[in-house]
Amino acid sequence: MDFKTLLCVMTDADVSVPSLSQAMALAEAHDAHLDVLALGVDRSQTGYFYGGADALLMQEMLKRAHDEAEEIRKNAEAKLSNSGLRWACDIGVAQIADLGRHVASRARFSDLVILPKPYGKNCGTELEPTIEAALFEGQAPVLMVPESVAPMTTPKTVCLAWNESAEALVAARAALPFLKMAETVHVIVVDPPSHGPNRSDPGGLLSQYLARHGVNVQVDVLSKTQPRVSDVLLRHATDTDADLMVMGAYGHSRFREAILGGATRNMLEHAPLPVFLAH
């Protein structure tokens, strides 16, 4: 499958600039249609307002969210109008508790959703649920774009995190357009199990599957020499000068990862390179 319908959700005019630039670059490279959703978010929690003020404050917060969405739309359209791409830009307003429904309704009819890094300086609280909505309710792969990263169109080196999970397999299949373009794809297996049907050839069946699609693949079996698997993955991505990390998202529950941490949460927080996620 090629990437023919791309979605970029923008909830902040400044934070979303790298993801819009990345989406535009991919739309041109893949001859795809780019949909941009300029989403104003009401971040208020009405349950904490004092008595009698709910309606007045809700109206004011929704107006503020609408004004933010208009500003995002104008900035995006100013950039898109000179691009020569096929694109559409829609505007929407949502309370943060209802954000997922709006994002998922667009993501489910997209081949790839391009979103900014959800953690870091000036990142709003709406960015993490936006990624989760695209992955879970929208059932779409997500390309997370860190700040200060040049747009990537044809990755030269890709790292693919492999642990035989359903999420990792979905990510590998969804990322095939990128994997087939790459010069080298490193299938990374960290501390493979000593028992099981694939113990003698970890990553072997996946590499065979990818090779039949024309992917130049090699398997890298690594020891867990650092406390977190995500640290091992990121170090190997640095060592191989990778342009893209591909991995399954949220093998554990979102609640567990939010409280205890996990490979997905740590990768979203610390990755210096684009990360392709699927669930």
Side-chain angles (χ1 to χ4, degrees):
M1 183 185 71
D2 294 328
F3 300 131
K4 289 302 180 183
T5 301
L6 306 178
L7 173 66
C8 181
V9 181
M10 302 180 66
T11 59
D12 186 293
D14 296 323
V15 174
S16 300
V17 168
S19 56
L20 177 60
S21 298
Q22 176 65 81
M24 292 174 64
L26 287 177
E28 182 177 6
H30 292 265
D31 189 27
H33 186 280
L34 173 58
D35 291 317
V36 175
L37 176 59
L39 192 60
V41 181
D42 173 11
R43 300 172 179 85
S44 62
Q45 299 185 49
T46 55
Y48 291 96
F49 293 159
Y50 59 85
D54 286 22
L56 181 62
L57 287 177
M58 183 179 295
Q59 182 179 2
E60 176 61 28
M61 295 302 293
L62 287 174
K63 180 182 182 302
R64 185 178 300 177
H66 185 272
D67 292 342
E68 289 179 356
E70 282 289 353
E71 179 185 0
I72 295 169
R73 180 187 63 81
K74 289 178 182 178
N75 291 342
E77 289 186 347
K79 193 170 183 178
L80 289 163
S81 60
N82 298 319
S83 66
L85 300 172
R86 300 193 305 276
W87 60 273
C89 186
D90 293 329
I91 189 172
V93 174
Q95 290 187 306
I96 194 165
D98 194 37
L99 181 68
R101 179 172 60 89
H102 295 270
V103 174
S105 66
R106 305 299 183 96
R108 64 187 303 203
F109 297 108
S110 303
D111 296 319
L112 181 64
V113 184
I114 300 95
L115 298 172
K117 190 174 182 177
Y119 306 108
K121 185 178 180 180
N122 300 323
C123 291
T125 56
E126 76 281 356
L127 295 180
E128 183 182 19
T130 298
I131 286 183
E132 292 180 354
L135 288 170
F136 286 84
E137 287 79 19
Q139 290 290 297
V142 168
L143 181 65
M144 186 278 292
V145 183
E147 67 282 0
S148 304
V149 172
M152 175 269 304
T153 55
T154 305
K156 180 180 178 181
T157 304
V158 177
C159 285
L160 194 164
W162 179 245
N163 61 359
E164 299 189 17
S165 67
E167 292 81 10
L169 182 58
V170 169
R173 284 175 170 160
L176 270 173
F178 282 138
L179 303 182
K180 292 164 72 173
M181 292 182 200
E183 292 183 12
T184 306
V185 174
H186 296 267
V187 173
I188 307 173
V189 184
V190 180
D191 273 357
S194 56
H195 302 281
N198 301 316
R199 65 186 183 278
S200 61
D201 186 20
L205 290 176
L206 176 66
S207 62
Q208 174 182 274
Y209 168 77
L210 295 177
R212 288 172 177 171
H213 280 277
V215 177
N216 182 22
V217 58
Q218 67 179 56
V219 178
D220 300 337
V221 180
L222 307 177
S223 297
K224 188 183 176 185
T225 56
Q226 299 189 59
R228 299 181 299 194
V229 171
S230 59
D231 294 332
V232 178
L233 296 175
L234 289 176
R235 185 182 64 183
H236 199 62
T238 301
D239 292 343
T240 57
D241 196 23
D243 307 295
L244 178 67
M245 175 68 70
V246 176
M247 63 183 294
Y250 295 104
H252 301 295
S253 72
R254 284 174 285 178
F255 177 78
R256 172 176 169 170
E257 294 224 6
I259 301 301
L260 301 177
T264 307
R265 170 65 184 261
N266 294 329
M267 191 68 70
L268 291 175
E269 189 169 355
H270 300 291
L273 76 167
V275 180
F276 185 100
L277 301 156
H279 179 78

